[in-house]
Amino acid sequence: MRAILAFAAVILVLVSPTSLMAQDEEEYDPFAPRWSFAIHGGAGTIERANMTPEQDAAYRAALQQALDAGAKILAEGGSAMDAVIAAITLMEDDPKFNAGKGAVFTWEGANELDAALMDGRDRSAGAVTGVKTVKNPILLAREVMKDGRHVFLSGAGAEEFASDKGLELVDPEYFATEPRRRSLERMKAQQLSAIDVDVKFGTVGAVALDLEGNMVAGTSTGGLTGKRWGRIGDVPVIGAGTYADNRDCAVSATGQGEYFIRAAVGHSICQGLRYSWRKMLDDAQASVPLDEDGNPTFIVHASEMWLEESDVQAVADAVMADVKDLGGTGGVIVVSPFGPAVFSFNTPGMYRGRATSAGVSEVGIYGDE
């Protein structure tokens, strides 16, 4: 961690870490506007041995397309909200991912979709679960958030709300794909678990920090193959699979939702970052020499302190280690005011990408990338 001690102040200036966007020390200006963006398309047993060159190329192209869509909006001064929506709708429309078209089947042979969206400015949020006819569930989550009367809608009520808002509705068969249908059939025939047939969790998500310092998180999924009894995973649970707070970070998760709910993953990561930043500030102030009357000889400016990318990574890794200790697998993407987005996953691979105003633009699939 870095701490630059300012000698001219007489009071402690508490500045929200939202304004502390850092790169290397020699380039750092806490007030310079920067943007950062990240996406994921699921985590799991994703290994080179299980991917043909054609599949590898197709997934990378899809990830790059979604990444570029959001990055373009941010680079042109657009909002984090618009960037997240642009990326997720593209992935919902792509049958390679388990969200929207291409969603997995429930035990009964239906496609039931979940999505959530959260705005870090005021922590407004919208979430939906168990919808079957809404073409882009992330757009429905946005309408729930904008309406403001409720946060979480489900099933038929959520679909009625979608119709009232004029969202595009489709026949349920629109979401069905043969590979997903075969996964359900194999699960039933061989009495396998969802993990055995899914191999990976294809949930999609995006997180963004825009030039105004606002952060947004969004996530969309079809859940687990063969899910039963109206099962709801972590994606639409605010604070678990989706969370954003301008004071700390924005998080989107993918994995075994039951464990992410129990660990409150999204909220835990943001709280961990807040604690780390506050502790760094307190430790720096405690190290200031005292005058003969026992008063600090200078006051540390919060505006001149920030977390390294490695510090953000450490917090995300610690929360994912907690998920692993509970028995869960998956991953997260995290964007913060402190620099580039980070990824953390405890699986062999994760479909992912990140871009920044500093020129970073990269996608990855395997754990060794």
Side-chain angles (χ1 to χ4, degrees):
M1 297 180 181
R2 302 176 178 175
I4 301 176
L5 306 183
F7 291 82
V10 293
I11 60 172
L12 178 63
V13 181
L14 287 177
V15 178
S16 166
T18 299
S19 65
L20 311 183
M21 306 169 213
Q23 291 180 319
D24 294 336
E25 183 174 3
E26 64 271 16
E27 301 175 356
Y28 178 68
D29 175 356
F31 302 106
R34 294 182 173 87
W35 59 264
S36 183
F37 186 57
I39 62 169
H40 71 76
T45 308
I46 306 169
E47 300 174 328
R48 286 186 176 85
N50 299 327
M51 296 274 283
T52 68
E54 292 76 17
Q55 289 173 325
D56 181 291
Y59 273 103
R60 290 182 191 276
L63 291 169
Q64 193 68 59
Q65 182 185 24
L67 184 68
D68 290 346
K72 183 176 186 294
I73 290 170
L74 295 170
E76 294 175 351
S79 71
M81 180 66 67
D82 288 345
V84 165
I85 291 291
I88 292 180
T89 52
L90 280 174
M91 291 188 285
E92 285 181 334
D93 293 343
D94 190 330
K96 286 189 287 297
F97 301 107
N98 174 22
K101 187 175 182 63
V104 300
F105 284 87
T106 67
W107 186 262
E108 293 77 20
N111 305 110
E112 295 182 353
L113 313 173
D114 305 336
L117 190 67
M118 189 167 185
D119 191 333
R121 291 176 299 179
D122 56 4
R123 284 178 282 175
S124 57
V128 296
T129 186
V131 297
K132 299 179 181 180
T133 64
V134 180
K135 181 175 183 287
N136 291 106
I138 195 66
L139 298 183
L140 177 54
R142 181 176 63 179
E143 291 300 324
V144 173
M145 182 188 69
K146 287 167 60 178
D147 182 79
R149 286 174 289 179
H150 305 297
V151 169
F152 203 170
L153 301 183
S154 66
E159 294 187 336
E160 179 182 354
F161 181 82
S163 179
D164 291 343
K165 293 298 180 179
L167 294 181
E168 183 176 359
L169 304 180
V170 295
D171 187 281
E173 191 61 26
Y174 164 82
F175 302 105
T177 60
E178 283 309 306
R180 299 298 194 187
R181 199 185 304 275
R182 288 195 296 271
S183 292
L184 177 64
E185 292 169 352
R186 187 160 62 91
M187 178 185 190
K188 289 183 173 182
Q190 301 178 26
Q191 297 184 339
L192 300 173
S193 70
I195 297 174
D196 292 327
V197 296
D198 286 342
V199 179
K200 61 180 177 60
F201 306 99
T203 295
V204 306
V207 291
L209 167 72
D210 63 29
L211 293 175
E212 298 296 322
N214 295 318
M215 289 183 283
V216 170
T219 321
S220 182
T221 187
L224 294 177
T225 297
K227 61 183 181 180
R228 306 180 74 174
W229 310 298
R231 178 262 189 190
I232 301 170
D234 64 306
V235 164
V237 178
I238 302 301
T242 308
Y243 195 73
D245 185 335
N246 273 10
R247 296 173 296 178
D248 311 302
C249 69
V251 181
S252 176
T254 176
Q256 292 174 275
E258 285 72 14
Y259 299 97
F260 283 71
I261 292 171
R262 289 161 59 187
V265 166
H267 188 263
S268 293
I269 291 173
C270 288
Q271 286 290 295
L273 288 176
R274 188 183 307 177
Y275 172 80
S276 295
W277 182 79
R278 183 70 230 190
K279 184 177 186 302
M280 179 174 58
L281 182 64
D282 291 343
D283 289 348
Q285 186 61 52
S287 70
V288 173
L290 305 179
D291 62 21
E292 58 185 16
D293 295 322
N295 298 314
T297 54
F298 55 88
I299 303 298
V300 176
H301 277 258
S303 60
E304 295 179 340
M305 306 188 69
W306 66 94
L307 298 177
E308 295 277 13
E309 181 181 344
S310 59
D311 300 318
V312 179
Q313 186 72 57
V315 171
D317 288 347
V319 174
M320 285 306 301
D322 186 35
V323 171
K324 185 176 182 180
D325 288 343
L326 291 174
T329 59
V332 294
I333 53 175
V334 182
V335 72
S336 75
F338 305 110
V342 303
F343 312 101
S344 183
F345 51 98
N346 58 21
T347 53
M350 180 177 178
Y351 296 116
R352 62 199 187 274
R354 67 175 181 172
T356 72
S357 52
V360 172
S361 181
E362 57 189 16
V363 297
I365 296 177
Y366 314 110
D368 58 1
E369 294 183 89

